[in-house]
Amino acid sequence: MTVALMSVTWTALLCMAPVSADQASDEAAIRKEVEAYVTAFNQGNAKALAAMWSPEAVYTNPLSGEQVVGREAIEQQFAAIFTENQGAKLAATTNAIQFISPGVALEQGTAMVSREGKEPEESGYQAVYVKQDGKWLLDRVSEEEIPVAVSSPNRLEELDWLIGTWIDEDDEARIVSSYRWTKNRNFISQMFSLTIGDRIEHSGMQIIGWDPAAERIRSWVFDSDGGFGEGVWDQHDKAWHIQATGTLPDGSQSSSTNIVTYVDDNTFTWQSVNRIVDGELLPNVDEVVVAKQVGQSE
């Protein structure tokens, strides 16, 4: 729990670690994998799709949210999807490929699934590839609907429920985050601290604001150890997906997608997925529940 809330308070993460000497060749290979993936999907070939994933890969069904681990489970998942959605066709466009390390790459793109008699469904995705035995394999994929730009100058009002003091604690540590509107309600400031025993071990601040040029919410965070980062926020129903990038105190770089989901005015959940630190893939952080301190909403 402590690791989770430490991450949400200062969302560290993605810069470029050393890249492959033959990056152009690697990028071309990944693009061919994307083409092969689309072909296998459109053929309804679950076995061929599963072979494109690493043995330890984690697949999240974008419809149900269910996660499965390993090629055999992924093959079964796709077989079920094809049975339920016969004739579905996939189109994918790669927008960017970034090399986190010589053996890890991040592909960002858009996908569109067409089903007979239904409107096409478009989504954005991030795919993490790992290079094993000279071949690029999928390790994780996250998908989300394409956000619709909203130009309202009061866009931050949708985060008004955050205002107040939030606490997450267990027998080992206590994390306190206080959110306040700045003057004219153009920004939200957050002050956070981690206390172990009777000693504050870590603290910092985050500023959340509306970017009128990009027409989206952004955040900037700075911590007491010298780390800093930036986040881009997209709303998906009651959840906010924060694509976080930054620099850790030791100079290493990393990336993550942090998901904050509104439950009610006194509760939200948080989790972190697609975490990469200094070119190394880290496990996802399970969802945790955070509660507002009674009497602290404003």
Side-chain angles (χ1 to χ4, degrees), residues 161 166 261-269 289-292:
W161 58 270
W166 300 80
T261 303
Y262 171 89
V263 177
D264 56 44
D265 286 348
N266 296 310
T267 315
F268 71 81
T269 64
V289 178
V290 187
K292 181 179 286 186

Side-chain angles (χ1 to χ4, degrees), residues 209-259:
W210 175 254
D211 182 342
E215 294 189 337
R216 65 198 319 175
I217 293 174
R218 305 178 74 92
S219 59
W220 301 265
V221 63
F222 310 89
D223 69 53
S224 58
D225 293 332
F228 56 91
E230 183 175 352
V232 176
W233 297 49
D234 288 316
Q235 187 174 17
H236 305 272
D237 195 16
K238 294 185 177 181
W240 290 91
H241 291 212
I242 306 165
Q243 306 298 329
T245 64
T247 302
L248 303 181
D250 63 359
S252 60
Q253 311 294 319
S254 53
S255 66
S256 65
T257 301
N258 300 322
I259 304 172

Side-chain angles (χ1 to χ4, degrees), residues 274-295:
N274 294 341
R275 301 195 305 144
I276 302 173
V277 175
D278 209 18
E280 179 181 354
L281 290 170
L282 299 181
N284 293 340
V285 176
D286 293 336
E287 186 176 79
V288 296
V289 178
V290 187
K292 181 179 286 186
Q293 187 173 7
V294 177

